[in-house]
Amino acid sequence: MDDVRDGASVPLPAARRHSRPRLAILALLALILLTGLSASLYQLPLNRVIERRLCREYYRTHDPPNLFQDGIIDEKHCKLDAIQQSLAWYVGIMETLWIVGDFVMTIPLSFVAEKYGRRTVLWLNLVPRIFLLSWATVVGYFEEALPLKAIVAGPTLSVLGGNCVLNSIVYALAASLTDDNVVRATYFSWTNAVSYVVTFVGPGLAGATMTLNLFLPFLIGICLLLLAIPTIALLVDPAHVPPASEDEQRRPLISSPTLKAQTARASLLKPIIERFHTLHSIVRSHPRNLTLLLISFFLTALASSDTSLLAQYISKRYHWEFASAGYLLSAKAIVNFTLLTFVVPGILRARGLQGPTQSPSLSDRDNVRYARICLVISVLGALAISVAVTVWLLFPSLLLYSLGSALPVFTLGLLKSPSVSPKDSDRPANSPDPETHIFSIVMMVKILGSLVGAPLMAALWVRGIATGALGVPYLVSAALYVTAIVVFAGIRVR
């Protein structure tokens, strides 16, 4: 699947190696922008579509005449506990279904990539995204014809690919564009900047457009995904170019031709099991630092699942409309964008210009130090959100929490560190360059964390509504970040 990454692994003339990264990173950022913004435009109106249906069903049963006029109920009357608990379950189930399909089919889809090309898999990745938006529009518009439970079918097409496949390509490509630790971390900062900006700018745009028409954000998202089709076509796909045997072994695990499914075999299960064995052997060949990093990736992905609750949290706790909650979340994007686009790259450039004699291990120590700072800030931000009793306290809490968003820049920067890479004597015989596979493994670990986090946060939110302790999900997130700090403390760099 990492078609762009594969092309970057092939040795190129010096002139092409210098000109290619700029074009490659621009194409990569464009793809992140289109897919990320479409996903960000989806969540806020989805909450309102489900809430509106639940609200009408609730008041149709209770039938207060002063609220049910011409079939329209003011959103402020939909913040009752029973309605919000049902909303939390619907959203949690849908998010879990999306992640399950994505995670389970990641390895099988790699065989599709090997046979039909990696761009084909990326195009397939757009199908469930378009269907997700389209189906929400259909169920929301045809209220009398379709029951609300039908909306749960929206995420089922994630078996054609989801965020795990896409993110694996994104980070593997960003890592392959340069051998310089500072430049690589800067690329990670840019990709994370775009991701965070669209994640939190999207709600503001969704809030503005859904006030005009509730289904307008869905339609805009579909148009953005259609624009992603020619964007994928611009990506280099070396799948149909017969590689040299050495190059074959250097390609990422998730799309490696050395692990192709054997068509002569009667069962597809055996090659899938073999691939998981290869994943395990690669992890075992690396030092203990990699295992600790993977555990920290899982914990932070689990903890950051609370961000999907922010719109519901603001709407329920402060009795805000979802559109207004979207504007507040968009304000948070200013901090994310400034931090990841200007502050972090500036720090990295400053560290890189300290002197040509700076050793890689010093850069590794910087990554570890800054990662720990981001984790501490995340703990404080999550705690502040959990105890914010007014919007005026919530807003600075959100800004504080957003300061921890630079964490992936430093943790991903450690993946190719000498302190994480295996010694030559420990490398698996069938994978002379296993570092190129690590990003696929990291994405699977992160998606596994999200898979556990989605139902966990939904259950905690429902429990919080029932008990009145609405900040429970963020208290748990803070505890998970503390656990990640403890795990991260065991990482030692040379």
Side-chain angles (χ1 to χ4, degrees):
M1 292 176 223
D2 297 335
D3 51 328
V4 189
R5 172 72 181 88
D6 292 356
S9 298
V10 179
L12 296 172
R16 289 185 62 190
R17 289 179 64 89
H18 287 293
S19 62
R20 185 169 181 172
R22 182 178 296 274
L23 295 176
I25 197 66
L26 289 177
L28 180 66
L29 294 178
L31 184 61
I32 298 172
L33 176 65
L34 294 170
T35 56
L37 188 55
S38 67
S40 189
L41 285 171
Y42 166 76
Q43 198 64 45
L44 202 65
L46 174 69
N47 278 275
R48 180 56 189 149
V49 165
I50 298 175
E51 183 190 64
R52 189 175 70 169
R53 291 285 300 269
L54 291 170
C55 198
R56 289 181 179 179
E57 292 175 3
Y58 179 87
Y59 283 112
R60 185 178 289 116
T61 302
H62 296 76
D63 196 28
N66 59 324
L67 296 178
F68 199 72
Q69 299 175 356
D70 300 326
I72 300 176
I73 305 175
D74 194 307
E75 186 178 341
K76 67 182 180 181
H77 298 297
C78 298
K79 308 305 176 184
L80 301 177
D81 289 353
I83 297 173
Q84 294 301 310
Q85 286 177 324
S86 297
L87 171 62
W89 280 123
Y90 269 102
V91 174
I93 290 171
M94 293 179 68
E95 187 171 352
T96 301
L97 287 175
W98 175 267
I99 298 172
V100 166
D102 179 24
F103 181 76
V104 170
M105 293 301 293
T106 296
I107 296 299
L109 280 174
S110 67
F111 296 103
V112 177
E114 290 160 5
K115 185 172 183 180
Y116 298 104
R118 297 154 193 84
R119 285 186 299 184
T120 300
V121 174
L122 286 175
W123 280 316
L124 281 176
N125 191 267
L126 298 179
V127 174
R129 298 173 186 271
I130 294 174
F131 178 74
L132 194 67
L133 295 164
S134 303
W135 187 244
T137 304
V138 171
V139 175
Y141 188 78
F142 296 102
E143 294 187 2
E144 302 299 328
L146 293 170
L148 178 58
K149 292 181 180 179
I151 203 168
V152 177
T156 55
L157 286 187
S158 64
V159 293
L160 297 178
N163 298 331
C164 187
V165 173
L166 183 64
N167 289 339
S168 177
I169 294 174
V170 165
Y171 288 110
L173 174 61
S176 70
L177 294 178
T178 179
D179 294 327
D180 185 275
N181 287 340
V182 172
V183 176
R184 183 186 301 119
T186 301
Y187 287 163
F188 287 148
S189 180
W190 289 351
T191 57
N192 279 281
V194 175
S195 298
Y196 276 105
V197 165
V198 298
T199 298
F200 293 101
V201 168
L205 180 59
T209 52
M210 67 189 286
T211 55
L212 302 175
N213 187 294
L214 181 57
F215 305 105
L216 185 56
F218 296 140
L219 299 178
I220 296 175
I222 292 172
C223 293
L224 292 173
L225 291 173
L226 293 177
L227 289 175
I229 295 175
T231 303
I232 294 174
L234 296 176
L235 299 176
V236 177
D237 184 5
H240 301 293
V241 179
S245 59
E246 180 181 353
D247 292 333
E248 282 189 357
Q249 296 182 351
R250 295 183 59 193
R251 295 166 72 179
L253 171 71
I254 216 165
S255 60
S256 174
T258 62
L259 298 171
K260 286 183 178 178
Q262 314 232 340
T263 56
R265 295 180 181 175
S267 172
L268 182 63
L269 184 60
K270 188 173 182 179
I272 294 176
I273 293 175
E274 288 178 352
R275 186 154 301 188
F276 274 109
H277 283 319
T278 305
L279 281 166
H280 184 254
S281 66
I282 289 175
V283 173
R284 288 190 61 184
S285 69
H286 282 65
R288 178 171 173 267
N289 282 343
L290 177 64
T291 302
L292 295 175
L293 263 180
L294 292 178
I295 295 174
S296 70
F297 278 124
F298 174 82
L299 291 171
T300 53
L302 181 58
S304 63
S305 297
D306 62 359
T307 56
S308 63
L309 292 176
L310 277 174
Q312 296 178 56
Y313 181 78
I314 296 170
S315 179
K316 168 63 179 173
R317 183 161 192 171
Y318 309 106
H319 301 282
W320 277 30
E321 295 182 353
F322 277 108
S324 300
Y327 299 141
L328 182 60
L329 292 176
S330 291
K332 183 177 182 290
I334 299 175
V335 176
N336 290 98
F337 181 80
T338 303
L339 180 69
L340 295 171
T341 306
F342 301 107
V343 177
V344 172
I347 293 174
L348 294 171
R349 285 192 296 268
R351 298 297 301 180
L353 292 175
Q354 285 186 356
T357 60
Q358 185 180 23
S359 65
S361 60
L362 181 58
S363 178
D364 293 342
R365 288 198 293 269
D366 289 338
N367 280 328
V368 170
R369 182 185 305 114
Y370 294 140
R372 289 172 179 168
I373 292 173
C374 288
L375 287 170
V376 171
I377 292 175
S378 296
V379 172
L380 298 177
L383 288 174
I385 292 174
S386 69
V387 299
V389 294
T390 66
V391 173
W392 299 110
L393 292 175
L394 176 68
F395 184 66
S397 301
L398 288 174
L399 298 184
L400 176 63
Y401 196 32
S402 67
L403 292 177
S405 62
L407 177 64
V409 174
F410 307 111
T411 53
L412 290 170
L414 286 170
L415 290 178
K416 286 197 171 184
S417 152
S419 301
V420 174
S421 302
K423 298 178 181 179
D424 293 337
S425 58
D426 295 332
R427 295 180 184 271
N430 62 341
S431 183
D433 188 16
E435 288 83 357
T436 56
H437 307 324
I438 291 301
F439 289 95
S440 297
I441 299 174
V442 168
M443 290 306 110
M444 294 184 68
V445 170
K446 289 168 71 71
I447 205 71
L448 181 60
S450 299
L451 175 60
V452 178
L456 173 63
M457 292 301 169
L460 290 172
W461 177 233
V462 170
R463 181 63 179 170
I465 293 174
T467 60
L470 299 179
V472 167
Y474 296 94
L475 289 174
V476 173
S477 291
L480 289 170
Y481 281 121
V482 170
T483 306
I485 291 175
V486 174
V487 172
F488 212 81
I491 295 178
R492 297 289 182 267
V493 293
R494 296 191 293 269

